[in-house]
Amino acid sequence: SREIIVAAAQMGPIARHETRTQVVVRMLALLEKAARRGANLVVYPELTLTTFFPRWFMADQAEIDTFFETEMPSAEVAPLFARARELGIAMNFGYAEKTVIDGTMRRFNTAILVDQDGNICLKYHKIHLPGHPEHEPWRQFQHLEKRYFELGEAPYGCADVLGGKMSMAICNDRRWPETYREVSLRGAEMLLIGYNTPLHYPLAPEHDHLQSFHNHLCMQAGAYQNGLWVVAVGKAGTEEGVAMLGQSCIIAPTGEIVALASTTGDEVVTACCDLDRCQELRENIFNFSKNRRPDMYTAI
Ligand code: CDT
């Protein structure tokens, strides 16, 4: 077996006025708790370092840019990198990234995977950006990811960490079956997902009571149908007046939830994940090379 202990480090609400330094103090507390439970890997939410700012319309780019990072680790985040490295713990977290590519300023909703030696070994730019690009004042709150971020242009990646193959996705990506199939075909044994999911969905409020169900439904199905572990971690609780989904969890390749957060605050849940269990699915019911029929899936 290839067992690793994984910690899902759910975060409670982060207010707009909270500084990176304050957030990192909370992340460090979760890291220490995870370390005491023997964790090898700690997974934090999407856009961990700030409040979920796409809920507000901002016209001033300078104000928008206050939520973005221009270097990683930044001075504020460096203590987290240092402590994780000292403890020999790998970690995954999301942040808003502002970076120059080929002389052009670009902005992405980004996640990184940092190995146990403190090196960023994988970076991912979110490819499914939900929401809308213009101010829609009729909504109780905005979801302006399409305004503040550009679409990621690279497919999902996969890195060798802790003796296993890890991939990352971000929030809305987890609703798309293609995400799991892509990373699985690229060899991933574990998919790390951070999210910020409001309980209220303005376009179909009749689904509000199903947020928790849909969250687990897509990820449990994705894990099972592709024979991989899924670690899903939310920023939860009432953040700036908006109720956000908790229920961060760790899902086995069988589709079973093996660890589940029971609060909507800062909370660590852990599970011992045997990466060899992917084979239980991949050598049997979902033996891709034996039974999958890509030649028949012509519509996709
Ligand atoms: N952050 C993010 O991607 N959230 C979306 C909210 C629903 S779409 C407005 C999600 O899929 O959870």
Side-chain angles (χ1 to χ4, degrees):
S1 69
R2 285 179 297 138
E3 292 183 350
I4 57 171
I5 299 178
V6 178
Q10 178 176 281
M11 307 275 297
I14 296 174
R16 188 169 184 166
H17 63 78
E18 276 185 70
T19 63
R20 301 321 194 257
T21 302
Q22 287 172 310
V23 173
V24 167
V25 166
R26 287 167 57 182
M27 294 173 81
L28 277 164
L30 294 170
L31 179 73
E32 297 293 347
K33 201 173 265 188
R36 288 195 290 277
R37 296 188 204 166
N40 309 108
L41 168 69
V42 178
V43 181
Y44 297 98
E46 173 192 35
L47 299 173
T48 310
L49 301 174
T50 67
T51 196
F52 187 71
F53 63 90
R55 73 168 60 90
W56 293 292
F57 173 75
M58 294 174 274
D60 177 10
Q61 191 60 54
E63 185 183 8
I64 298 163
D65 281 347
T66 62
F67 294 99
F68 283 72
E69 315 299 319
T70 50
E71 55 173 350
M72 191 53 64
S74 60
E76 295 101 322
V77 179
L80 180 72
F81 272 64
R83 186 61 182 143
R85 185 182 167 182
E86 217 168 73
L87 293 165
I89 294 178
M91 60 181 178
N92 158 239
F93 68 88
Y95 62 97
E97 181 189 13
K98 184 177 148 185
T99 185
V100 177
I101 301 176
D102 296 332
T104 306
M105 186 62 79
R106 312 287 302 273
R107 291 174 183 79
F108 298 104
N109 188 337
T110 296
I112 51 171
L113 181 57
V114 183
D115 69 18
Q116 62 273 40
D117 298 318
N119 304 309
I120 297 176
C121 56
L122 191 63
K123 185 184 267 195
Y124 166 68
H125 293 153
K126 186 174 182 179
I127 62 175
H128 299 98
L129 286 179
H132 47 105
E134 301 302 332
H135 190 203
E136 297 187 4
W138 62 268
R139 293 173 182 253
Q140 284 174 27
F141 51 86
Q142 306 293 297
H143 198 110
L144 288 159
E145 286 194 62
K146 284 191 190 294
R147 183 179 191 87
Y148 299 144
F149 301 115
E150 295 170 61
L151 290 169
E153 290 164 352
Y156 296 107
C158 188
D160 289 298
V161 181
L162 301 168
K165 295 194 179 301
M166 312 263 172
S167 286
M168 296 180 289
I170 302 177
C171 196
N172 191 258
D173 292 330
R174 76 193 188 288
R175 301 187 191 275
W176 298 86
E178 290 86 352
T179 296
Y180 306 88
R181 185 53 48 95
E182 266 288 319
V183 301
S184 171
L185 288 171
R186 289 168 186 274
E189 296 169 307
M190 181 173 277
L191 177 61
L192 315 176
I193 306 172
Y195 60 86
N196 280 269
T197 296
L199 296 184
H200 173 55
Y201 180 54
L203 297 182
E206 64 275 23
H207 292 171
D208 286 0
H209 69 291
L210 300 172
Q211 281 299 348
S212 167
F213 170 61
H214 287 160
N215 178 45
H216 288 158
L217 176 71
C218 53
M219 296 193 297
Q220 289 181 263
Y224 168 62
Q225 292 169 338
N226 296 282
L228 47 74
W229 289 89
V230 172
V231 184
V233 184
K235 177 124 65 57
T238 303
E239 189 180 84
E240 296 290 359
V242 178
M244 309 288 286
L245 180 69
Q247 302 210 312
S248 301
C249 62
I250 301 173
I251 303 169
T254 51
E256 294 163 285
I257 294 176
V258 295
L260 176 63
S262 59
T263 72
T264 51
D266 290 10
E267 181 180 350
V268 176
V269 294
T270 53
C272 180
C273 306
D274 181 357
L275 299 172
D276 280 345
R277 290 199 66 193
C278 297
Q279 297 317 316
E280 288 173 28
L281 284 296
R282 293 179 181 185
E283 287 174 0
N284 299 304
I285 187 87
F286 292 115
N287 185 326
F288 284 179
S289 56
K290 204 164 151 194
N291 294 322
R292 191 168 163 268
R293 294 294 311 279
D295 53 322
M296 291 292 112
Y297 312 148
T298 54
I300 56 168

mmCIF file with all atom_site columns, all heavy atoms in Angstrom, residues 78-96:
data_model
loop_
_atom_site.group_PDB
_atom_site.id
_atom_site.type_symbol
_atom_site.label_atom_id
_atom_site.label_alt_id
_atom_site.label_comp_id
_atom_site.label_asym_id
_atom_site.label_entity_id
_atom_site.label_seq_id
_atom_site.pdbx_PDB_ins_code
_atom_site.Cartn_x
_atom_site.Cartn_y
_atom_site.Cartn_z
_atom_site.occupancy
_atom_site.B_iso_or_equiv
_atom_site.pdbx_formal_charge
_atom_site.auth_seq_id
_atom_site.auth_comp_id
_atom_site.auth_asym_id
_atom_site.auth_atom_id
_atom_site.pdbx_PDB_model_num
ATOM 1   N N   . ALA A 1 78 ? 5.283  33.806 3.319  1.00 0.00 ? 78 ALA A N   1
ATOM 2   C CA  . ALA A 1 78 ? 6.561  33.104 3.524  1.00 0.00 ? 78 ALA A CA  1
ATOM 3   C C   . ALA A 1 78 ? 6.587  32.276 4.823  1.00 0.00 ? 78 ALA A C   1
ATOM 4   O O   . ALA A 1 78 ? 7.102  31.142 4.808  1.00 0.00 ? 78 ALA A O   1
ATOM 5   C CB  . ALA A 1 78 ? 7.717  34.101 3.482  1.00 0.00 ? 78 ALA A CB  1
ATOM 6   N N   . PRO A 1 79 ? 6.035  32.782 5.947  1.00 0.00 ? 79 PRO A N   1
ATOM 7   C CA  . PRO A 1 79 ? 6.071  31.962 7.175  1.00 0.00 ? 79 PRO A CA  1
ATOM 8   C C   . PRO A 1 79 ? 5.336  30.629 7.021  1.00 0.00 ? 79 PRO A C   1
ATOM 9   O O   . PRO A 1 79 ? 5.714  29.632 7.651  1.00 0.00 ? 79 PRO A O   1
ATOM 10  C CB  . PRO A 1 79 ? 5.364  32.855 8.216  1.00 0.00 ? 79 PRO A CB  1
ATOM 11  C CG  . PRO A 1 79 ? 5.479  34.247 7.679  1.00 0.00 ? 79 PRO A CG  1
ATOM 12  C CD  . PRO A 1 79 ? 5.459  34.125 6.186  1.00 0.00 ? 79 PRO A CD  1
ATOM 13  N N   . LEU A 1 80 ? 4.293  30.601 6.207  1.00 0.00 ? 80 LEU A N   1
ATOM 14  C CA  . LEU A 1 80 ? 3.553  29.352 5.976  1.00 0.00 ? 80 LEU A CA  1
ATOM 15  C C   . LEU A 1 80 ? 4.435  28.365 5.214  1.00 0.00 ? 80 LEU A C   1
ATOM 16  O O   . LEU A 1 80 ? 4.519  27.178 5.562  1.00 0.00 ? 80 LEU A O   1
ATOM 17  C CB  . LEU A 1 80 ? 2.266  29.645 5.196  1.00 0.00 ? 80 LEU A CB  1
ATOM 18  C CG  . LEU A 1 80 ? 1.397  28.439 4.886  1.00 0.00 ? 80 LEU A CG  1
ATOM 19  C CD1 . LEU A 1 80 ? 0.706  27.929 6.149  1.00 0.00 ? 80 LEU A CD1 1
ATOM 20  C CD2 . LEU A 1 80 ? 0.346  28.779 3.823  1.00 0.00 ? 80 LEU A CD2 1
ATOM 21  N N   . PHE A 1 81 ? 5.091  28.856 4.150  1.00 0.00 ? 81 PHE A N   1
ATOM 22  C CA  . PHE A 1 81 ? 6.007  27.998 3.384  1.00 0.00 ? 81 PHE A CA  1
ATOM 23  C C   . PHE A 1 81 ? 7.113  27.460 4.303  1.00 0.00 ? 81 PHE A C   1
ATOM 24  O O   . PHE A 1 81 ? 7.448  26.271 4.249  1.00 0.00 ? 81 PHE A O   1
ATOM 25  C CB  . PHE A 1 81 ? 6.642  28.793 2.236  1.00 0.00 ? 81 PHE A CB  1
ATOM 26  C CG  . PHE A 1 81 ? 5.853  28.793 0.962  1.00 0.00 ? 81 PHE A CG  1
ATOM 27  C CD1 . PHE A 1 81 ? 4.598  29.382 0.908  1.00 0.00 ? 81 PHE A CD1 1
ATOM 28  C CD2 . PHE A 1 81 ? 6.349  28.208 -0.201 1.00 0.00 ? 81 PHE A CD2 1
ATOM 29  C CE1 . PHE A 1 81 ? 3.861  29.392 -0.273 1.00 0.00 ? 81 PHE A CE1 1
ATOM 30  C CE2 . PHE A 1 81 ? 5.627  28.204 -1.381 1.00 0.00 ? 81 PHE A CE2 1
ATOM 31  C CZ  . PHE A 1 81 ? 4.386  28.803 -1.416 1.00 0.00 ? 81 PHE A CZ  1
ATOM 32  N N   . ALA A 1 82 ? 7.658  28.342 5.135  1.00 0.00 ? 82 ALA A N   1
ATOM 33  C CA  . ALA A 1 82 ? 8.785  27.952 5.988  1.00 0.00 ? 82 ALA A CA  1
ATOM 34  C C   . ALA A 1 82 ? 8.367  26.870 6.984  1.00 0.00 ? 82 ALA A C   1
ATOM 35  O O   . ALA A 1 82 ? 9.062  25.867 7.161  1.00 0.00 ? 82 ALA A O   1
ATOM 36  C CB  . ALA A 1 82 ? 9.310  29.181 6.726  1.00 0.00 ? 82 ALA A CB  1
ATOM 37  N N   . ARG A 1 83 ? 7.199  27.057 7.608  1.00 0.00 ? 83 ARG A N   1
ATOM 38  C CA  . ARG A 1 83 ? 6.757  26.097 8.626  1.00 0.00 ? 83 ARG A CA  1
ATOM 39  C C   . ARG A 1 83 ? 6.376  24.754 7.985  1.00 0.00 ? 83 ARG A C   1
ATOM 40  O O   . ARG A 1 83 ? 6.694  23.688 8.523  1.00 0.00 ? 83 ARG A O   1
ATOM 41  C CB  . ARG A 1 83 ? 5.575  26.686 9.414  1.00 0.00 ? 83 ARG A CB  1
ATOM 42  C CG  . ARG A 1 83 ? 5.122  25.844 10.577 1.00 0.00 ? 83 ARG A CG  1
ATOM 43  C CD  . ARG A 1 83 ? 6.208  25.647 11.626 1.00 0.00 ? 83 ARG A CD  1
ATOM 44  N NE  . ARG A 1 83 ? 5.759  24.789 12.699 1.00 0.00 ? 83 ARG A NE  1
ATOM 45  C CZ  . ARG A 1 83 ? 6.524  23.886 13.320 1.00 0.00 ? 83 ARG A CZ  1
ATOM 46  N NH1 . ARG A 1 83 ? 7.803  23.747 12.997 1.00 0.00 ? 83 ARG A NH1 1
ATOM 47  N NH2 . ARG A 1 83 ? 6.041  23.133 14.290 1.00 0.00 ? 83 ARG A NH2 1
ATOM 48  N N   . ALA A 1 84 ? 5.715  24.807 6.836  1.00 0.00 ? 84 ALA A N   1
ATOM 49  C CA  . ALA A 1 84 ? 5.332  23.564 6.155  1.00 0.00 ? 84 ALA A CA  1
ATOM 50  C C   . ALA A 1 84 ? 6.581  22.777 5.770  1.00 0.00 ? 84 ALA A C   1
ATOM 51  O O   . ALA A 1 84 ? 6.652  21.554 5.941  1.00 0.00 ? 84 ALA A O   1
ATOM 52  C CB  . ALA A 1 84 ? 4.487  23.870 4.929  1.00 0.00 ? 84 ALA A CB  1
ATOM 53  N N   . ARG A 1 85 ? 7.579  23.512 5.304  1.00 0.00 ? 85 ARG A N   1
ATOM 54  C CA  . ARG A 1 85 ? 8.837  22.853 4.917  1.00 0.00 ? 85 ARG A CA  1
ATOM 55  C C   . ARG A 1 85 ? 9.515  22.220 6.133  1.00 0.00 ? 85 ARG A C   1
ATOM 56  O O   . ARG A 1 85 ? 10.001 21.086 6.070  1.00 0.00 ? 85 ARG A O   1
ATOM 57  C CB  . ARG A 1 85 ? 9.741  23.907 4.280  1.00 0.00 ? 85 ARG A CB  1
ATOM 58  C CG  . ARG A 1 85 ? 10.995 23.339 3.745  1.00 0.00 ? 85 ARG A CG  1
ATOM 59  C CD  . ARG A 1 85 ? 11.873 24.402 3.176  1.00 0.00 ? 85 ARG A CD  1
ATOM 60  N NE  . ARG A 1 85 ? 13.192 23.827 2.949  1.00 0.00 ? 85 ARG A NE  1
ATOM 61  C CZ  . ARG A 1 85 ? 14.213 24.504 2.498  1.00 0.00 ? 85 ARG A CZ  1
ATOM 62  N NH1 . ARG A 1 85 ? 14.099 25.779 2.211  1.00 0.00 ? 85 ARG A NH1 1
ATOM 63  N NH2 . ARG A 1 85 ? 15.365 23.919 2.325  1.00 0.00 ? 85 ARG A NH2 1
ATOM 64  N N   . GLU A 1 86 ? 9.520  22.992 7.253  1.00 0.00 ? 86 GLU A N   1
ATOM 65  C CA  . GLU A 1 86 ? 10.111 22.477 8.502  1.00 0.00 ? 86 GLU A CA  1
ATOM 66  C C   . GLU A 1 86 ? 9.430  21.177 8.934  1.00 0.00 ? 86 GLU A C   1
ATOM 67  O O   . GLU A 1 86 ? 10.066 20.240 9.404  1.00 0.00 ? 86 GLU A O   1
ATOM 68  C CB  . GLU A 1 86 ? 9.873  23.536 9.573  1.00 0.00 ? 86 GLU A CB  1
ATOM 69  C CG  . GLU A 1 86 ? 10.959 23.743 10.583 1.00 0.00 ? 86 GLU A CG  1
ATOM 70  C CD  . GLU A 1 86 ? 10.648 25.030 11.363 1.00 0.00 ? 86 GLU A CD  1
ATOM 71  O OE1 . GLU A 1 86 ? 9.716  25.022 12.203 1.00 0.00 ? 86 GLU A OE1 1
ATOM 72  O OE2 . GLU A 1 86 ? 11.315 26.038 11.096 1.00 0.00 ? 86 GLU A OE2 1
ATOM 73  N N   . LEU A 1 87 ? 8.110  21.151 8.761  1.00 0.00 ? 87 LEU A N   1
ATOM 74  C CA  . LEU A 1 87 ? 7.335  19.975 9.176  1.00 0.00 ? 87 LEU A CA  1
ATOM 75  C C   . LEU A 1 87 ? 7.370  18.872 8.126  1.00 0.00 ? 87 LEU A C   1
ATOM 76  O O   . LEU A 1 87 ? 6.887  17.760 8.364  1.00 0.00 ? 87 LEU A O   1
ATOM 77  C CB  . LEU A 1 87 ? 5.868  20.380 9.428  1.00 0.00 ? 87 LEU A CB  1
ATOM 78  C CG  . LEU A 1 87 ? 5.607  21.305 10.628 1.00 0.00 ? 87 LEU A CG  1
ATOM 79  C CD1 . LEU A 1 87 ? 4.211  21.916 10.545 1.00 0.00 ? 87 LEU A CD1 1
ATOM 80  C CD2 . LEU A 1 87 ? 5.767  20.531 11.940 1.00 0.00 ? 87 LEU A CD2 1
ATOM 81  N N   . GLY A 1 88 ? 7.881  19.195 6.939  1.00 0.00 ? 88 GLY A N   1
ATOM 82  C CA  . GLY A 1 88 ? 7.921  18.208 5.853  1.00 0.00 ? 88 GLY A CA  1
ATOM 83  C C   . GLY A 1 88 ? 6.534  17.907 5.302  1.00 0.00 ? 88 GLY A C   1
ATOM 84  O O   . GLY A 1 88 ? 6.241  16.778 4.902  1.00 0.00 ? 88 GLY A O   1
ATOM 85  N N   . ILE A 1 89 ? 5.675  18.948 5.296  1.00 0.00 ? 89 ILE A N   1
ATOM 86  C CA  . ILE A 1 89 ? 4.294  18.765 4.832  1.00 0.00 ? 89 ILE A CA  1
ATOM 87  C C   . ILE A 1 89 ? 4.102  19.459 3.479  1.00 0.00 ? 89 ILE A C   1
ATOM 88  O O   . ILE A 1 89 ? 4.507  20.617 3.304  1.00 0.00 ? 89 ILE A O   1
ATOM 89  C CB  . ILE A 1 89 ? 3.298  19.331 5.875  1.00 0.00 ? 89 ILE A CB  1
ATOM 90  C CG1 . ILE A 1 89 ? 3.371  18.508 7.165  1.00 0.00 ? 89 ILE A CG1 1
ATOM 91  C CG2 . ILE A 1 89 ? 1.871  19.364 5.331  1.00 0.00 ? 89 ILE A CG2 1
ATOM 92  C CD1 . ILE A 1 89 ? 2.456  19.015 8.270  1.00 0.00 ? 89 ILE A CD1 1
ATOM 93  N N   . ALA A 1 90 ? 3.488  18.761 2.550  1.00 0.00 ? 90 ALA A N   1
ATOM 94  C CA  . ALA A 1 90 ? 3.130  19.367 1.260  1.00 0.00 ? 90 ALA A CA  1
ATOM 95  C C   . ALA A 1 90 ? 1.813  20.118 1.431  1.00 0.00 ? 90 ALA A C   1
ATOM 96  O O   . ALA A 1 90 ? 1.029  19.806 2.340  1.00 0.00 ? 90 ALA A O   1
ATOM 97  C CB  . ALA A 1 90 ? 2.993  18.284 0.199  1.00 0.00 ? 90 ALA A CB  1
ATOM 98  N N   . MET A 1 91 ? 1.556  21.098 0.575  1.00 0.00 ? 91 MET A N   1
ATOM 99  C CA  . MET A 1 91 ? 0.285  21.821 0.710  1.00 0.00 ? 91 MET A CA  1
ATOM 100 C C   . MET A 1 91 ? -0.223 22.334 -0.634 1.00 0.00 ? 91 MET A C   1
ATOM 101 O O   . MET A 1 91 ? 0.529  22.473 -1.598 1.00 0.00 ? 91 MET A O   1
ATOM 102 C CB  . MET A 1 91 ? 0.403  22.964 1.718  1.00 0.00 ? 91 MET A CB  1
ATOM 103 C CG  . MET A 1 91 ? 1.433  23.999 1.376  1.00 0.00 ? 91 MET A CG  1
ATOM 104 S SD  . MET A 1 91 ? 1.502  25.272 2.648  1.00 0.00 ? 91 MET A SD  1
ATOM 105 C CE  . MET A 1 91 ? 2.833  26.281 1.979  1.00 0.00 ? 91 MET A CE  1
ATOM 106 N N   . ASN A 1 92 ? -1.526 22.601 -0.646 1.00 0.00 ? 92 ASN A N   1
ATOM 107 C CA  . ASN A 1 92 ? -2.209 23.122 -1.828 1.00 0.00 ? 92 ASN A CA  1
ATOM 108 C C   . ASN A 1 92 ? -3.108 24.260 -1.370 1.00 0.00 ? 92 ASN A C   1
ATOM 109 O O   . ASN A 1 92 ? -3.835 24.110 -0.393 1.00 0.00 ? 92 ASN A O   1
ATOM 110 C CB  . ASN A 1 92 ? -3.028 21.986 -2.473 1.00 0.00 ? 92 ASN A CB  1
ATOM 111 C CG  . ASN A 1 92 ? -4.164 22.483 -3.357 1.00 0.00 ? 92 ASN A CG  1
ATOM 112 O OD1 . ASN A 1 92 ? -5.314 22.163 -3.113 1.00 0.00 ? 92 ASN A OD1 1
ATOM 113 N ND2 . ASN A 1 92 ? -3.867 23.254 -4.363 1.00 0.00 ? 92 ASN A ND2 1
ATOM 114 N N   . PHE A 1 93 ? -2.997 25.420 -2.033 1.00 0.00 ? 93 PHE A N   1
ATOM 115 C CA  . PHE A 1 93 ? -3.964 26.488 -1.751 1.00 0.00 ? 93 PHE A CA  1
ATOM 116 C C   . PHE A 1 93 ? -4.158 27.364 -2.981 1.00 0.00 ? 93 PHE A C   1
ATOM 117 O O   . PHE A 1 93 ? -3.360 27.322 -3.925 1.00 0.00 ? 93 PHE A O   1
ATOM 118 C CB  . PHE A 1 93 ? -3.569 27.320 -0.512 1.00 0.00 ? 93 PHE A CB  1
ATOM 119 C CG  . PHE A 1 93 ? -2.330 28.158 -0.664 1.00 0.00 ? 93 PHE A CG  1
ATOM 120 C CD1 . PHE A 1 93 ? -2.382 29.457 -1.171 1.00 0.00 ? 93 PHE A CD1 1
ATOM 121 C CD2 . PHE A 1 93 ? -1.093 27.655 -0.269 1.00 0.00 ? 93 PHE A CD2 1
ATOM 122 C CE1 . PHE A 1 93 ? -1.239 30.227 -1.289 1.00 0.00 ? 93 PHE A CE1 1
ATOM 123 C CE2 . PHE A 1 93 ? 0.066  28.414 -0.387 1.00 0.00 ? 93 PHE A CE2 1
ATOM 124 C CZ  . PHE A 1 93 ? -0.012 29.709 -0.897 1.00 0.00 ? 93 PHE A CZ  1
ATOM 125 N N   . GLY A 1 94 ? -5.234 28.130 -2.957 1.00 0.00 ? 94 GLY A N   1
ATOM 126 C CA  . GLY A 1 94 ? -5.557 28.982 -4.086 1.00 0.00 ? 94 GLY A CA  1
ATOM 127 C C   . GLY A 1 94 ? -5.359 30.453 -3.763 1.00 0.00 ? 94 GLY A C   1
ATOM 128 O O   . GLY A 1 94 ? -5.428 30.853 -2.597 1.00 0.00 ? 94 GLY A O   1
ATOM 129 N N   . TYR A 1 95 ? -5.117 31.238 -4.795 1.00 0.00 ? 95 TYR A N   1
ATOM 130 C CA  . TYR A 1 95 ? -4.995 32.692 -4.619 1.00 0.00 ? 95 TYR A CA  1
ATOM 131 C C   . TYR A 1 95 ? -5.219 33.381 -5.960 1.00 0.00 ? 95 TYR A C   1
ATOM 132 O O   . TYR A 1 95 ? -5.142 32.742 -7.019 1.00 0.00 ? 95 TYR A O   1
ATOM 133 C CB  . TYR A 1 95 ? -3.616 33.074 -4.041 1.00 0.00 ? 95 TYR A CB  1
ATOM 134 C CG  . TYR A 1 95 ? -2.434 32.705 -4.905 1.00 0.00 ? 95 TYR A CG  1
ATOM 135 C CD1 . TYR A 1 95 ? -1.844 33.649 -5.755 1.00 0.00 ? 95 TYR A CD1 1
ATOM 136 C CD2 . TYR A 1 95 ? -1.901 31.417 -4.884 1.00 0.00 ? 95 TYR A CD2 1
ATOM 137 C CE1 . TYR A 1 95 ? -0.756 33.321 -6.549 1.00 0.00 ? 95 TYR A CE1 1
ATOM 138 C CE2 . TYR A 1 95 ? -0.810 31.086 -5.677 1.00 0.00 ? 95 TYR A CE2 1
ATOM 139 C CZ  . TYR A 1 95 ? -0.241 32.037 -6.509 1.00 0.00 ? 95 TYR A CZ  1
ATOM 140 O OH  . TYR A 1 95 ? 0.834  31.706 -7.302 1.00 0.00 ? 95 TYR A OH  1
ATOM 141 N N   . ALA A 1 96 ? -5.504 34.680 -5.906 1.00 0.00 ? 96 ALA A N   1
ATOM 142 C CA  . ALA A 1 96 ? -5.656 35.470 -7.124 1.00 0.00 ? 96 ALA A CA  1
ATOM 143 C C   . ALA A 1 96 ? -4.262 35.904 -7.563 1.00 0.00 ? 96 ALA A C   1
ATOM 144 O O   . ALA A 1 96 ? -3.534 36.521 -6.780 1.00 0.00 ? 96 ALA A O   1
ATOM 145 C CB  . ALA A 1 96 ? -6.537 36.678 -6.847 1.00 0.00 ? 96 ALA A CB  1
#
